């Protein structure tokens, strides 16, 4: 496949819409400037376009295979991983004390978006390593940090997340993997974990598994779970690789998409593991990994949508029908514009969530995270489907490549917490958690944006914000069961509105700056205009579903 | 896979919502009664559930292969085809003079819907034969009818449609396949056709290809196309199979889905063909086939949505999470209900289009056809995607089967005229064709239904009808380019509204009849209630896109 990173769109979303430079207000990130940002994004664009995109199709076709516990990866992937690690890409936002560059997460997310666009299967490997880095940075002991962080940040080793078991799915309370204390202070871990992304490969000397397990005698349910570090190879006291640990890959899933990414069944058979964080506080530690990973998965939704858009655009410019190239047809343009405008809104949502973390605005970060994850990954599926449609019959033929995006995109609304779980999280932990305070702050911001904005469609944003305010009041006042029935359309309304707000803020911020070039401003104005008539204009009509679906569901008899 | 035909839902949609028995008002179809209808639907349900559904997964996994011009089909398919043909299923709505049963198309469509649910790849074979039967019945000479119809109707032979060529796609005007007159009154056909569904197989002694080609010296463009009958094996004067014709399958496409259905590249190398209908009137003759096939493809959208629904429902009833089966979760119920309610609306739309043909109401049939095709096939993709989502991680694993529906469903919005083409057809040929008369009749019917209906959500239907009326006025008055930009959301608004109207009419009609059982009425009321708050409540908000997207697109710079 061909992929040319949309660096100008990404910079606009990052700097203007998601307000990157606000991270420097407190004096933080003093080393970051426009030149450095530009250099990073251009280098990421080159890596993605030149090294990773050419492997996307062969990875899909070749897939992965298991033999005697070893995973055979598609040709070219090992070398690409070396290039990726050597480029320092894992360390962009990591702690300089362990070799990281200490840049904002928002910048790292923008670079990773390009990686995911070029090759979503490949991008999962660093995405999981970043989760492990996050967990060890936050919860690890000084010795654990010393042993693992530098190697993970340099990419010399990779990391994994081991949560799910066959009987568990989204309900981690019923996990049965056991941890038995050993005399050496370690634990012996036994159990089977499924859906372990990049659980096994031979790119690196070691793989660091983070594993949820229950210490013998711990309470049942999610309050009895602890998190363990289980390296594939044990380390000597000097940190050198020692003997093989009792963990192995015993199966690979045959999946709809992301064929180049091994999804492993991992067997722990008395494997040696070390507790990370406190006993029985494993779930909280795991959530540290998951929250960052959720924004990353949201970004995968944006990324696969962008890849599908680029491929459909190229096809539409080339393919002739009725004497003209099909991009001249209004309905083809409508589909392309639907993709493009929602991509830019979702991109801004993901960056805004990451930059809220960089600014230490935890309330904003935690509110935006489930919205960014679910709204962007739903878009990934929608855009990939439109990409197939624009191709007509060719889209259904695997050789054209549009079908791969349609298959790959489908996982993102499922993993790192299904989008249904995100909607419950938004309602239950976020909205009820602060009685709607963070959401009301954002709604006020959306209304102020609409009021201050001179764009002809500003009124659409105002109307969406009014609807979101009404929906928020309803959700806070509703009975729990009623609110849960409305939680998904509520999340969608929030994404519609806040995505539009960010698009508008991007234009306002860029217009106020002398640096913004007119062509990109014109383009962003066109995107917002289309977004207003298609997304914002329909947003308030979600209110009926939010408020009344519980009653309509009550009479359903399944 | 398991599939249990939803006979009660299908009967409700057919009899109550789409008003089956109106076909008998002029004295036609006098043989059809409730008992016969029930017997046919139960027999189709048994065929689909017992013989075709068990082949769905093996067909997907095994696929088809080409060797020396022969197509190897998946195990069990040949025997299933024999059973299907011997059951007389191709002849349900065909002319009794050639062995058909002369029943309404609506009834045949309901039976075929079950076939498509059980095995969409298999269903394509009769779907194409029915198109050939239609074309020969309408345009064939008495000799041609005599030679071909009985064999096609009995299923002893199958039929194909050969339109597309590599350079043509939706634009048939540029077809280059040539027909050279021969001394025997036949023509020699030369060219290559692509995307020929079931173009080759060994289930039957002969395959009857209907081929669009240009007679030497005919005008360029679509007005120079003629339609030819090109049998795989020539027939002697007595109708017996003679020598092999110069047509063969030279390639199979590797597709995203419907793997058990061979999609052939067909090479015509001086093949002998006979003109059907008039010279240079081939396109009109081909449209006869396509219009019936479009309703059939719409029904495939319903069918794959139903299959995905059943599988997701079974999974949701079984899968435990958080101490309960997941069907207890509101968001799982919301997704299931979204599938079920739209399935019932789309089903009624497809049946209504077919029954309009049975009633000889050509204006209604031709208006409903593109709506039924596009709205139902979009639903097929949406429902299959929701089916994957309900499965969580298991949905992305091929073994679970949900992914197959997601892959299979994606073709239906593309073939038999992309859904974008349907929207243009609705605007250009249907709406402009009678200056909106047929649509206004339907809108008046929707308003009357809303006024007469005592359901609490009747107002939602009325509001949607008002919006559809405003949109219709706009489309008729708009400049052509503006109208084309709004054509797709216009089709969606029409589908939303008319689907809701049919659901409401079904309840009204059934309530007025003493025969309707309370449980099914309660269920249909619940479906309409949910449809009102999710689909009808959002329908009027499509107006902005219909009216204003042209302007928003104008400033897009691709």
């Amino acid at each position: 496949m061909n992929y040319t990173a949309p660096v100008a769109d990404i910079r606009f979303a990052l700097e203007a819409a998601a307000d990157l430079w606000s991270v420097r207000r407190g004096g933080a990130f003093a080393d970051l400037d426009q030149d450095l940002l530009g250099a990073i994004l251009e280098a990421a664009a080159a890596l993605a376009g030149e090294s990773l995109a050419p492997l996307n199709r062969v990875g899909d076709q070749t897939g992965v295979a298991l033999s005697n516990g070893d995973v055979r990866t598609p040709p070219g992937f090992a070398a690409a991983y070396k290039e990726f690690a050597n480029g320092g890409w894992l360390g962009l936002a990591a702690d300089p004390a362990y070799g990281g560059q200490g840049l904002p997460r928002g910048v790292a997310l923008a670079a990773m978006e390009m990686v995911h666009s070029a090759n979503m299967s490949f991008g999962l490997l660093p995405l999981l390593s970043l989760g492990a880095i996050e967990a060890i940075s936050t919860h690890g002991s000084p010795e654990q940090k010393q042993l693992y962080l530098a190697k993970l940040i340099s990419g010399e080793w990779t990391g994994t997340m081991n949560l799910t078991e066959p009987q568990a799915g989204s309900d981690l309370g019923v996990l049965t993997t056991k941890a038995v204390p050993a005399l050496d202070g370690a634990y012996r871990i036994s159990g089977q974990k499924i859906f372990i992304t990049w659980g096994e490969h031979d790119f690196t000397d070691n793989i660091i598994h983070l594993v949820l397990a229950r210490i013998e005698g711990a309470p049942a349910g999610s309050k009895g779970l602890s998190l363990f570090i289980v390296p594939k190879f044990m380390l000597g006291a000097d940190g050198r690789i020692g003997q093989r640990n009792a963990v192995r890959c015993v199966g690979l899933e045959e999946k709809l998409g992301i064929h180049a990414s091994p999804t492993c069944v991992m067997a722990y058979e008395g494997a040696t593991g070390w507790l990370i964080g406190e006993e029985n506080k494993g779930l909280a530690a795991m959530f540290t990994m998951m929250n960052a990973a959720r924004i990353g998965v949201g970004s995968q939704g944006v990324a696969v949508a962008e890849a599908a858009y680029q491929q459909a655009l190229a096809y539409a410019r080339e393919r002739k029908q009725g004497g003209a190239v099909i991009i001249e047809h209004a309905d083809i343009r409508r589909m392309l514009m639907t993709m493009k405008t929602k991509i830019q809104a979702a991109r801004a949502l993901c960056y805004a969530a990451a930059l809220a973390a960089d600014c230490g605005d935890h309330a904003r970060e935690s509110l935006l995270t489930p919205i960014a994850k679910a709204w962007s990954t739903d878009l990934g599926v929608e855009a990939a489907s439109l990409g197939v449609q624009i191709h007509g019959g060719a889209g259904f033929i695997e050789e054209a490549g549009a079908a791969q995006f349609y298959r790959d995109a489908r996982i993102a609304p499922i993993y790192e917490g299904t989008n249904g779980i995100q909607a419950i999280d938004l309602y239950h932990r976020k909205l009820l958690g602060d009685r709607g305070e963070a959401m009301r702050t954002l709604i006020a911001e959306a209304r102020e944006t609409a009021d201050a904005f001179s764009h002809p469609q500003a009124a659409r944003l105002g109307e969406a914000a009014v609807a979101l305010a009404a929906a928020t009041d309803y959700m806070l006042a509703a009975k729990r069961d009623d609110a849960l029935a409305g939680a998904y359309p509520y999340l969608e309304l929030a994404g519609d509105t806040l995505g539009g707000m960010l698009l508008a803020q991007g234009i306002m911020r860029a217009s106020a700056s002398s640096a913004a070039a007119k062509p990109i401003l014109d383009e962003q104005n066109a995107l917002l205009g289309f977004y207003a008539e298609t997304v914002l204009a329909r947003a308030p009509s979600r209110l009926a579903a939010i408020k009344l679906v519980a009653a309509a569901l009550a009479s359903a008899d399944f």
Side-chain angles (χ1 to χ4, degrees), chain A residues 517-538:
Chain A
K518 189 170 178 312
I520 189 143
L521 261 179
D522 286 349
E523 190 186 22
Q524 297 291 320
N525 262 307
L527 291 180
L528 178 60
F530 188 88
Y531 190 90
E533 301 309 346
T534 55
V535 181
L536 291 176
R538 302 202 73 208

Side-chain angles (χ1 to χ4, degrees), chain A residues 15-16 18-30 358-359 509:
Chain A
E15 298 185 69
D19 201 12
L20 167 64
W21 301 107
S22 66
V23 300
R24 291 187 49 177
R25 267 174 216 147
F29 305 109
D358 290 314
C359 292
R509 227 170 254 124

Side-chain angles (χ1 to χ4, degrees), chain A residues 272-468:
Chain A
T272 300
W274 287 270
L275 182 68
I276 172 167
E278 291 175 53
E279 267 186 33
N280 301 336
K281 296 283 169 69
L283 209 58
M286 192 53 97
F287 268 112
T288 308
M289 294 176 77
M290 284 190 72
N291 274 334
R294 282 174 176 182
I295 301 176
V297 169
S299 181
Q300 282 193 319
V302 175
V304 71
E306 171 73 34
Y309 168 75
Q310 289 194 14
Q311 166 133 351
L313 178 63
Y315 186 83
R317 280 175 171 155
E318 237 169 49
R319 172 72 173 170
K320 283 191 181 168
Q321 294 277 279
V325 286
I326 63 171
I327 200 168
E328 300 299 326
H329 292 286
D331 196 56
I332 298 286
R333 295 169 77 84
R334 181 191 63 81
M335 289 190 274
L336 286 167
M337 197 68 173
T338 301
M339 296 164 88
K340 182 161 187 165
T341 187
K342 287 191 176 180
I343 287 167
Q344 193 67 349
R347 182 176 275 147
L349 277 172
C350 292
Y351 296 167
L355 291 171
D358 290 314
C359 292
D361 188 342
H362 181 67
R364 187 178 173 103
E365 175 203 1
S366 70
L367 187 71
L368 286 176
T369 296
I371 302 168
K373 195 276 183 182
W375 202 85
S376 303
T377 56
D378 281 349
L379 164 66
V381 174
E382 181 191 359
S385 185
L386 286 171
V388 171
Q389 189 67 22
I390 289 167
H391 281 74
F396 201 66
I397 307 302
E398 287 286 357
E399 197 185 354
Q404 185 188 342
F405 302 130
Y406 178 74
R407 290 187 286 99
D408 287 353
R410 195 63 196 76
I411 188 57
I414 294 173
Y415 59 18
E416 295 301 333
T418 64
N419 285 0
I421 297 275
Q422 305 300 323
I424 294 173
D425 176 64
L426 176 63
Y427 162 65
H428 201 257
R429 292 165 54 101
K430 310 300 162 68
L431 216 52
L432 293 189
D434 69 356
R435 299 299 304 157
E437 195 184 315
M439 183 59 96
R440 288 209 183 92
T441 304
L442 274 165
I443 293 168
E445 193 181 322
R447 287 175 137 166
E448 282 160 26
T449 304
D451 289 345
F453 194 39
S454 60
H455 194 283
Q457 276 94 8
R460 297 270 190 221
L461 175 59
E463 287 154 17
V466 167
L468 182 56

Side-chain angles (χ1 to χ4, degrees), chain A residues 45-393:
Chain A
L47 173 80
E50 292 161 24
S51 300
L52 301 177
L55 301 178
N56 192 48
R57 176 132 174 81
V58 68
D60 183 56
Q61 290 181 298
T62 313
V64 290
L66 181 68
S67 137
N68 293 326
D70 292 331
V71 168
R72 196 198 65 219
T73 52
F77 274 62
Y81 180 75
K82 291 267 182 297
E83 182 186 352
F84 179 87
N86 292 341
W89 292 106
L90 276 150
L92 282 184
D95 187 346
Y98 300 97
Q101 297 176 57
L103 291 163
R105 283 153 196 264
V107 173
L109 193 71
M112 278 302 295
E113 181 196 313
M114 302 182 201
V115 171
H116 292 306
S117 275
N119 197 320
M120 188 169 157
S121 287
F122 179 92
L124 282 166
L125 183 51
L127 189 144
L128 272 297
S129 285
L130 290 170
I133 292 167
E134 185 85 18
I136 296 174
S137 300
T138 312
H139 302 285
S141 66
E143 294 74 23
Q144 288 170 337
K145 291 184 188 179
Q146 209 56 50
L147 269 178
Y148 300 107
L149 276 183
K151 300 276 193 185
L152 285 166
I153 288 169
S154 68
E156 199 174 331
W157 298 345
T158 67
T160 74
M161 273 164 89
N162 291 241
L163 290 75
T164 310
E165 299 174 8
Q167 78 291 353
S170 307
D171 178 20
L172 299 175
V174 299
L175 295 179
T176 61
T177 295
K178 264 189 210 160
V180 179
L183 292 177
D184 56 1
Y187 291 78
R188 303 284 170 260
I189 314 284
S190 300
Q192 198 178 69
K193 295 286 181 179
I194 58 169
F195 295 155
I196 310 307
T197 300
W198 284 100
E200 178 56 45
H201 61 78
D202 58 1
F203 297 172
T204 55
D205 294 337
N206 211 350
I207 301 174
I208 310 305
H209 304 293
L210 293 193
V211 184
L212 271 188
R214 202 177 294 281
I215 297 174
E216 233 180 4
S222 59
K223 288 177 181 167
L225 295 173
S226 304
L227 187 63
F228 296 88
I229 300 180
V230 185
K232 177 178 169 185
F233 287 96
M234 319 279 264
L235 303 182
D238 55 356
R240 290 215 187 156
I241 297 277
Q243 69 179 107
R244 186 79 154 77
N245 205 346
V247 49
R248 63 203 172 90
C249 173
V250 295
L252 293 179
E253 305 290 353
E254 189 204 327
K255 305 188 301 293
L256 172 62
I258 52 167
H259 289 161
S261 150
T263 302
C264 302
V265 180
M266 300 300 293
Y268 292 83
E269 296 166 336
T272 300
W274 287 270
L275 182 68
I276 172 167
E278 291 175 53
E279 267 186 33
N280 301 336
K281 296 283 169 69
L283 209 58
M286 192 53 97
F287 268 112
T288 308
M289 294 176 77
M290 284 190 72
N291 274 334
R294 282 174 176 182
I295 301 176
V297 169
S299 181
Q300 282 193 319
V302 175
V304 71
E306 171 73 34
Y309 168 75
Q310 289 194 14
Q311 166 133 351
L313 178 63
Y315 186 83
R317 280 175 171 155
E318 237 169 49
R319 172 72 173 170
K320 283 191 181 168
Q321 294 277 279
V325 286
I326 63 171
I327 200 168
E328 300 299 326
H329 292 286
D331 196 56
I332 298 286
R333 295 169 77 84
R334 181 191 63 81
M335 289 190 274
L336 286 167
M337 197 68 173
T338 301
M339 296 164 88
K340 182 161 187 165
T341 187
K342 287 191 176 180
I343 287 167
Q344 193 67 349
R347 182 176 275 147
L349 277 172
C350 292
Y351 296 167
L355 291 171
D358 290 314
C359 292
D361 188 342
H362 181 67
R364 187 178 173 103
E365 175 203 1
S366 70
L367 187 71
L368 286 176
T369 296
I371 302 168
K373 195 276 183 182
W375 202 85
S376 303
T377 56
D378 281 349
L379 164 66
V381 174
E382 181 191 359
S385 185
L386 286 171
V388 171
Q389 189 67 22
I390 289 167
H391 281 74

